[in-house]
Amino acid sequence: MSIWDKLAQEDLKEMPLCFACGKDNAGGLRLKFRHEGDKALAEFIAGEQFQGWPKIMHGGITCTMLDEAIGYIAGFSGFYCATTKLEVHYRKPAPVGKRLLVSAWVKSHGERTVEGAGEVRLEDGTLIAEGTATLAILKAK
């Protein structure tokens, strides 16, 4: 039995040490997603510890937020998944200290995969990054 098979058998509603959403991970992002309509939504303000270039959030953090958001909307839609492919297009730098709005939605799903998309924007609507992902369905509710 693979690690993915074992994980799919467990109830993973809470993952307190997840880097992206874990409430007990002091060094993590601590994203709190909510399900509104057909989207997963969260907000994030990057501290200086998340910067790459001075005063600019590291692109890997943006990528992580998109991956997590798409995973969450898959979960909200009834699928326990693992990302197999993620493509991110960076449009503008994400400034440290500014509120970022993260959203994701399911584009389609089949028996074995979910296709999702997401974006990160500033509060004024400026598009920071957008991405698409393919997720393997490990377990459906």
Side-chain angles (χ1 to χ4, degrees), residues 42-44 57 65 94 98-102 120-122 128:
E43 299 177 7
F44 182 69
M57 187 173 75
M65 292 192 311
K98 298 286 184 180
R99 185 176 312 280
L100 299 171
L101 309 174
V102 186
V120 177
R121 292 182 179 270
L122 290 173
I128 298 298

Side-chain angles (χ1 to χ4, degrees), residues 57-67 70 85-94 101 103 105 107 116-121 126-133:
M57 187 173 75
H58 192 284
I61 301 300
T62 305
C63 184
T64 299
M65 292 192 311
L66 286 168
D67 183 37
I70 296 169
K85 180 181 177 182
L86 177 65
E87 186 172 319
V88 178
H89 296 270
Y90 298 92
R91 303 301 185 193
K92 300 271 185 192
L101 309 174
S103 63
W105 53 93
K107 292 170 50 175
E119 60 186 26
V120 177
R121 292 182 179 270
T126 301
L127 181 63
I128 298 298
E130 56 193 338
T132 57

Side-chain angles (χ1 to χ4, degrees), residues 13-98:
K13 290 180 182 171
E14 287 195 32
M15 296 171 284
L17 295 178
C18 173
F19 175 74
C21 69
K23 64 181 175 154
D24 296 335
N25 188 332
L29 305 180
R30 296 183 181 179
L31 296 170
K32 294 179 184 173
F33 283 93
R34 61 191 186 279
H35 189 197
E36 288 187 18
D38 62 350
K39 292 186 178 177
L41 304 170
E43 299 177 7
F44 182 69
I45 299 173
E48 291 181 338
Q49 73 272 30
F50 297 114
Q51 68 184 336
W53 291 100
K55 300 185 190 269
I56 301 296
M57 187 173 75
H58 192 284
I61 301 300
T62 305
C63 184
T64 299
M65 292 192 311
L66 286 168
D67 183 37
E68 193 74 358
I70 296 169
Y72 259 84
I73 194 57
F76 289 148
S77 300
F79 304 104
Y80 176 66
C81 299
T83 303
T84 60
K85 180 181 177 182
L86 177 65
E87 186 172 319
V88 178
H89 296 270
Y90 298 92
R91 303 301 185 193
K92 300 271 185 192
V96 168
K98 298 286 184 180

